[in-house]
Amino acid sequence: MSEQARIDKWLWAVRIYKTRSIAAEACKKGHITIGERTAKPAHNIRVGDIVNVKKAPVTYSFRVLKCAENRVGAKLVPELMENITPQEQYEILEMSKISGFVGRMRGTGRPTKKERRDLDQFVEDNYSDVLDEFDFDEL
């Protein structure tokens, strides 16, 4: 393993992104920062660098332990990087998973079958006592 590696190759090698082209695209869009500076795909990283990866709604942080430009097995990833993401980011991720329907952008179409079932379950759980008291025969 060399002393430095391209950031897009390293992100692909440590399995943060599925393909190198997706990793390069993330760099171009400004989702990857090294320290406080945004990184272009060809930017070289060194051992000890802190890489921040923005994947909405979370910003993950990784410390480079070794540089690699070839993809490694999942079991070898901890030898190449250390995950130093703050706990608050994982809490944000958990909250977004819980409130998945709320994050839907207006105009993106009908709810999926799962979203509709979740919405029905929510209404049933929260308003079942009100619905029991209401007399539908008067309508």
Side-chain angles (χ1 to χ4, degrees), residues 4-139:
Q4 59 185 11
R6 285 176 53 119
I7 185 68
D8 60 340
K9 287 185 178 183
W10 185 82
L11 290 168
W12 167 73
V14 296
R15 299 173 173 268
I16 294 172
Y17 288 102
K18 190 172 185 176
T19 65
R20 185 172 155 213
S21 59
I22 295 172
E25 188 66 29
C27 291
K28 290 176 187 174
K29 289 182 178 179
H31 296 269
I32 310 299
T33 58
I34 299 173
E36 297 296 321
R37 303 185 71 183
T38 57
K40 293 183 179 179
H43 184 86
N44 286 326
I45 59 167
R46 294 179 178 80
V47 174
D49 284 346
I50 305 295
V51 178
N52 296 315
V53 179
K54 294 177 191 168
K55 287 186 176 182
V58 180
T59 302
Y60 297 97
S61 299
F62 304 102
R63 178 175 288 121
V64 178
L65 300 178
K66 290 183 184 175
C67 295
E69 291 194 346
N70 294 325
R71 196 160 172 97
V72 297
K75 291 183 179 180
L76 299 177
V77 170
E79 297 175 10
L80 300 176
M81 70 170 190
E82 177 186 0
N83 188 351
I84 56 171
T85 306
Q87 185 63 33
E88 300 88 45
Q89 295 295 319
Y90 288 111
E91 292 170 3
I92 292 170
L93 181 63
E94 190 63 33
M95 290 302 294
S96 70
K97 285 181 182 178
I98 292 171
S99 63
F101 187 78
V102 177
R104 185 178 192 85
M105 296 298 293
R106 181 181 173 146
T108 56
R110 294 171 41 174
T112 63
K113 194 174 203 177
K114 181 185 181 324
E115 291 170 339
R116 181 62 192 178
R117 286 177 180 163
D118 291 343
L119 185 60
D120 289 342
Q121 183 67 37
F122 174 77
V123 170
E124 184 178 310
D125 290 346
N126 291 321
Y127 298 105
S128 62
D129 56 338
V130 175
L131 294 174
D132 291 341
E133 295 174 6
F134 189 74
D135 187 16
F136 288 100
D137 294 332
E138 293 178 4
L139 295 173

